[in-house]
Amino acid sequence: MFRATRFLHKRIPFKLADIGEGIAEVQIIQWYVKEGAAIKQFEKIAEVQSDKATVEITSRYDGVVKKLHYGVNDMAKVGDPLIDIETDDKSSSNSPQTKPTIDTMETDMELNAAEGVKTTEEGYLLMPSVRKYVKENRIDLKKLNIPFGRVTKEEIMAAISKSESSNAFIEYQMNPVQKAMAKTMEESLKIPHFGYSDEYRMDNLIKVRQEYKERTKSKVSIMPFVIKAVGMALKDFPKLNAHYIDGKLLCYTAINLGIAIDTPQGLVVPVLKDVIKLGTIEEIAEKLADLTDRARRNKLAKDDFEGATLTISNIGTIGGTYASPVIVPPQVCIVAIGKMRMRAVFNEKGAIEPQRQACFSWSADHRAVDGATMARFSNRIKELIENPSILL
């Protein structure tokens, strides 16, 4: 009579052993087993990838896989359970108590690609360090046209470099006005610039301008008032109404102001000539309107660009507050007017009051103009603008 042998089943957590070289975690590339499937000793369990290599983990036991502790692409820590295997006592006792065998250590990216190994939805096989690099730098591998399969950090960097060097471009053809401006700006680099800025109160000027519009029934902006103030100040500071040529400062009697105008053709700087002789604000406004209209229709003549002794650029119409304008040689001074803004300011009585202010940013040629002269010149213009009745 035979007596049945009763074997006790035991559930064993199969831990991820140290695979060497100080590796603390690996990425699960693919599983070779499923939950509920039978497995034998030395059969492959999973393929994992470290920073160093791809490794296949094999079983130490015969039994049944009861649980997979990770999904594909998850990071598994060395020493933590990889899977649970249910064995019988006989199988467990006869199993070698050694570390899992590393059957293969694949480092060839072509072999990995051939086996169809994937770590991303798109099909890229990335080591943990490479995956971290891609994530931190927000790299889209698809846009780099890298073939699916294993990808190294060096391959990604090379693809980025190739992409950047092969970017398509459109050659922009500069028109004659822009070429002339470019040449002028190259010459301006030879000038030792220095800057000076101050904020001018604009409230009184705005009020006077509105009254002037109502009285004359004309459409006049702030600019004619500023132009006249600059012209009047230059009469008191003739060294700024000048050209610096070959070590000589040539001061002019006629005050010709270059007016920077934004046009569809680019930035142009036609000249408003004999500002002081124009007389009234309305005459200045008419001449300015004519220059602006012809500039935007590309109808300026050669003579319109000649003879400027100082340049005014009103960046405030676009939105800038401060600037470092570049001198147009052989002139020795240029100003950029910023956008008006409301500010809370302490008045002479110590009370806070709102003021509309605009910053006037000056650049001057330090070979011809010193800081004290520039400050006094700016103060004179500030006085005229803050007391605009003088301009009338």
Side-chain angles (χ1 to χ4, degrees):
M1 182 175 178
F2 297 98
R3 187 172 66 178
T5 303
R6 184 170 178 264
F7 294 103
L8 297 177
H9 293 280
K10 184 177 182 181
R11 186 163 175 164
I12 301 173
F14 185 97
K15 296 182 179 181
L16 178 62
D18 184 1
I19 58 177
E21 300 186 50
I23 296 170
E25 63 178 2
V26 296
Q27 185 179 33
I28 305 297
I29 301 303
Q30 64 175 327
W31 289 107
Y32 293 114
V33 296
K34 297 180 179 180
E35 292 182 355
I39 189 171
K40 294 185 178 296
Q41 187 179 354
F42 304 124
E43 284 187 349
K44 293 187 294 185
I45 295 175
E47 183 174 28
V48 300
Q49 188 170 33
S50 71
D51 288 341
K52 309 297 182 182
T54 300
V55 178
E56 289 183 343
I57 306 297
T58 59
S59 176
R60 289 179 291 169
Y61 312 104
D62 294 340
V64 177
V65 177
K66 302 303 291 184
K67 182 178 181 180
L68 305 180
H69 285 273
Y70 301 95
V72 174
N73 295 331
D74 286 350
M75 301 301 296
K77 293 185 179 298
V78 170
D80 287 351
L82 190 63
I83 64 173
D84 289 349
I85 299 177
E86 187 179 81
T87 67
D88 57 44
D89 285 346
K90 181 178 179 180
S91 172
S92 176
S93 61
N94 292 334
S95 298
Q97 301 300 313
T98 59
K99 291 184 178 181
T101 303
I102 300 177
D103 288 342
T104 58
M105 298 183 69
E106 305 292 359
T107 59
D108 186 274
M109 64 177 180
E110 292 183 358
L111 178 59
N112 280 304
E115 293 177 349
V117 177
K118 298 180 180 180
T119 61
T120 68
E121 294 180 359
E122 295 84 3
Y124 295 108
L125 173 64
L126 307 178
M127 290 188 293
S129 62
V130 179
R131 186 174 66 174
K132 181 179 179 182
Y133 174 76
V134 170
K135 182 178 180 180
E136 290 180 348
N137 292 277
R138 298 180 180 180
I139 298 170
D140 189 341
L141 297 178
K142 292 184 292 183
K143 292 183 178 180
L144 295 178
N145 295 320
I146 297 177
F148 295 149
R150 178 169 178 167
V151 183
T152 66
K153 182 178 178 180
E154 290 73 21
E155 289 174 314
I156 294 173
M157 294 175 68
I160 292 174
S161 177
K162 181 179 179 182
S163 175
E164 291 176 347
S165 63
S166 62
N167 280 344
F169 65 90
I170 298 174
E171 183 177 356
Y172 180 77
Q173 298 296 328
M174 298 179 69
N175 59 45
V177 172
Q178 293 166 330
K179 289 181 179 180
M181 180 59 68
K183 186 176 181 180
T184 300
M185 292 299 99
E186 289 174 357
E187 289 297 314
S188 74
L189 292 177
K190 302 175 183 179
I191 299 174
H193 287 61
F194 81 90
Y196 179 89
S197 297
D198 197 4
E199 292 178 334
Y200 299 1
R201 184 174 182 177
M202 308 297 286
D203 296 278
N204 291 338
L205 183 56
I206 293 171
K207 181 180 178 181
V208 167
R209 174 221 177 195
Q210 185 60 35
E211 292 173 348
Y212 188 87
K213 286 176 63 178
E214 292 173 358
R215 184 173 69 252
T216 62
K217 307 300 181 183
S218 61
K219 296 181 180 179
V220 60
S221 69
I222 292 293
M223 276 301 292
F225 292 89
V226 173
I227 289 170
K228 187 163 185 178
V230 172
M232 291 177 66
L234 283 174
K235 288 181 66 177
D236 300 328
F237 294 85
K239 287 186 177 180
L240 291 171
N241 191 56
H243 289 171
Y244 184 86
I245 302 175
D246 297 331
K248 297 179 181 179
L249 186 63
L250 308 177
C251 302
Y252 294 92
T253 56
I255 296 174
N256 303 327
L257 299 181
I259 308 297
I261 301 174
D262 183 33
T263 75
Q265 294 77 38
L267 179 67
V268 296
V269 189
V271 182
L272 192 62
K273 297 182 179 180
D274 288 328
V275 170
I276 295 301
K277 290 184 179 180
L278 290 177
T280 67
I281 294 294
E282 191 169 4
E283 288 177 304
I284 295 175
E286 289 175 357
K287 288 289 185 180
L288 179 61
D290 174 64
L291 273 183
T292 303
D293 177 64
R294 289 191 291 118
R296 289 174 177 164
R297 292 189 293 111
N298 199 22
K299 297 295 183 181
L300 293 171
K302 180 181 178 182
D303 181 64
D304 291 319
F305 294 99
E306 297 176 346
T309 52
L310 186 145
T311 295
I312 300 175
S313 176
N314 187 10
I315 63 170
T317 57
I318 299 175
T321 303
Y322 306 98
S324 297
V326 179
I327 298 169
V328 182
Q331 299 167 45
V332 298
C333 192
I334 184 173
V335 64
I337 304 169
K339 182 181 180 180
M340 281 191 289
R341 54 181 182 165
M342 188 68 73
R343 301 193 66 182
V345 180
F346 284 100
N347 60 25
E348 295 178 354
K349 296 181 180 180
I352 296 177
E353 65 178 21
Q355 291 185 8
R356 288 186 179 88
Q357 294 186 348
C359 181
F360 280 57
S361 300
W362 299 90
S363 289
D365 186 338
H366 221 331
R367 297 172 299 181
V369 183
D370 57 47
T373 300
M374 186 71 254
R376 293 188 183 101
F377 176 61
S378 175
N379 286 343
R380 175 56 176 159
I381 297 173
K382 182 176 183 178
E383 178 188 15
L384 293 169
I385 286 178
E386 293 185 351
N387 300 277
S389 59
I390 303 174
L391 300 175
L392 301 177

